[in-house]
Amino acid sequence: MIARRENTKDRLVEAAVELLRAAPGATLKIVLLNKALFYLDLCALRDRGETLTGSPYIALDQGPVVAKYKTRLVDELIERGFATQRDDGETREKPVTLTRKAPKAKLLDEYALEKAREIAKYFSKLTSKKASEISHQNPGWMIAYAEGRGRGNPPKPINMRIAMQEFAGTDPWLESEADPEFESAVAEAEKGPRIPW
């Protein structure tokens, strides 16, 4: 499903609701919710050519987060009555909890819902620190962080196409043996003209 600009806010809210719905206790710490959204968008970009939510991400010390996540994500969930955020003052984890049965997603299809369930299941088992460590291995975050917060500058946006390279080593075709048809296609391509650079 294409993340059209006019639906970005609604797509982000729906994606967050589905991630929360799939998490134990319908709760995710804010760091985990941000990471889950980032990886949900990366999966959609890899599988469909466009992110699911259309939301920009920036590189903070904790890893990738939705740009202006407090207003675009948390406040929007709270204003729509879908979630609350606890801030006990003792930790920075600020868990977000689904407060009522949100309406069925209108903008997300079965692919998006299934990915949200998979990703929520994975991230709900992690600590915020571990999720941040994982996201610090993302090449898009590394570049944006080095140019922004890493130099004491304001946070920089993450290039999602670069960020998607994190998945490059996980494609099954890289690990499976080539079939004869593929080998033949490669041999034929190698016969063609070579680009000089």
Side-chain angles (χ1 to χ4, degrees):
M1 187 161 282
I2 298 169
R4 305 224 188 286
R5 186 177 303 267
E6 65 272 11
N7 292 330
T8 299
K9 187 190 303 183
D10 293 333
R11 287 181 185 280
L12 180 63
V13 168
E14 281 193 9
V17 164
E18 294 307 320
L19 288 164
L20 291 168
R21 191 186 322 270
T27 300
L28 285 170
K29 297 169 186 167
I30 190 60
V31 170
L32 299 179
L33 182 56
N34 269 293
K35 301 305 166 280
L37 284 163
F38 177 73
Y39 283 100
L40 181 60
D41 270 337
L42 281 185
C43 285
L45 181 59
R46 175 196 64 196
D47 297 344
R48 295 180 155 189
E50 292 188 279
T51 65
L52 183 68
T53 70
S55 297
Y57 293 84
I58 57 172
L60 294 183
D61 297 341
Q62 299 82 3
V65 301
V66 173
K68 299 181 181 177
Y69 76 89
K70 177 70 173 104
T71 55
R72 289 182 178 161
L73 177 60
V74 177
D75 289 350
E76 198 66 35
L77 285 167
I78 292 169
E79 286 173 18
R80 293 183 189 204
F82 296 156
T84 60
Q85 185 178 38
R86 193 176 79 234
D87 185 2
D88 56 17
E90 295 179 23
T91 66
R92 294 172 35 186
E93 295 178 339
K94 299 181 181 176
V96 179
T97 303
L98 211 56
T99 57
R100 66 175 174 95
K101 185 173 179 156
K104 183 178 177 185
K106 295 177 184 173
L107 301 171
L108 306 183
D109 60 11
E110 190 52 42
Y111 162 87
L113 298 174
E114 181 59 34
K115 283 295 177 196
R117 289 188 287 269
E118 290 174 22
I119 290 169
K121 182 178 177 182
Y122 176 78
F123 278 99
S124 65
K125 296 176 182 175
L126 301 179
T127 63
S128 296
K129 181 179 179 182
K130 182 64 177 172
S132 292
E133 288 171 0
I134 290 169
S135 69
H136 287 175
Q137 302 306 307
N138 182 279
W141 176 85
M142 287 191 250
I143 291 169
Y145 186 80
E147 293 174 356
R149 301 288 291 169
R151 291 185 180 164
N153 295 325
K156 297 289 182 184
I158 296 172
N159 181 316
M160 295 297 278
R161 300 242 178 240
I162 294 173
M164 190 176 57
Q165 292 178 21
E166 181 176 357
F167 295 147
T170 61
D171 285 337
W173 67 270
L174 291 173
E175 298 168 0
S176 60
E177 293 202 24
D179 62 21
E181 187 178 324
F182 177 76
E183 290 290 349
S184 175
V186 170
E188 197 62 34
E190 288 177 342
K191 292 179 187 176
R194 299 218 172 235
I195 296 173
W197 62 88

